[in-house]
């Protein structure tokens, strides 16, 4: 789990430690690798099992990403982000990200 989102009466609150991991580690690397990244939400489903979002993503591969060297090309792919809901604890159990059609080559 990278991020836990806790539902409070006043809205959503991000767990401070996991928010720090996201802000300090993941987000800067993502934004360095893809400085012009764009997420266009195509679908969202909210139900008792959780929240599921689908988006079309486009970005220029400008720096290393997970060992893949930058191509300088404009890339497009789809992403589905699933936030499963824990009924007993009354909070999201984390975040699962599924990527489809990414043209980023696997590192050698």
């Amino acid at each position: 789990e990278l991020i836990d989102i806790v539902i409070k009466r006043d809205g959503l609150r991000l767990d401070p430690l996991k928010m720090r991991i996201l802000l300090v580690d993941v987000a800067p690397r993502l934004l360095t690798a893809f400085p012009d990244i764009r997420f266009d939400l195509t679908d969202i489903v909210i139900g008792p099992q959780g929240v599921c979002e689908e988006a079309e993503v486009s970005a220029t591969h400008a720096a290393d990403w997970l060992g893949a060297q930058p191509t300088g090309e404009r890339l497009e792919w789809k992403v589905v982000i699933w936030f499963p809901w824990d009924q007993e604890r009354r909070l999201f159990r984390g975040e699962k990200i599924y990527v489809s059609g990414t043209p980023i080559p696997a590192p050698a």
Side-chain angles (χ1 to χ4, degrees), residues 35-93:
D36 60 351
I37 196 164
R38 178 181 170 111
F39 292 87
D40 291 313
L41 187 65
T42 56
D43 285 299
I44 186 166
V45 177
I46 302 170
Q49 294 86 11
V51 176
C52 187
E53 303 173 347
E54 180 185 52
E56 294 178 354
V57 182
S58 59
T60 303
H61 189 192
D64 178 81
W65 177 248
L66 303 176
Q69 295 301 305
T71 63
E73 294 179 40
R74 185 82 179 158
L75 306 175
E76 296 180 358
W77 65 93
K78 291 189 180 285
V79 64
V80 173
I81 306 172
W82 165 239
F83 302 93
W85 182 252
D86 185 324
Q87 290 283 356
E88 277 186 26
R89 296 171 52 209
R90 300 190 45 79
L91 55 84
F92 289 103
R93 290 192 311 255

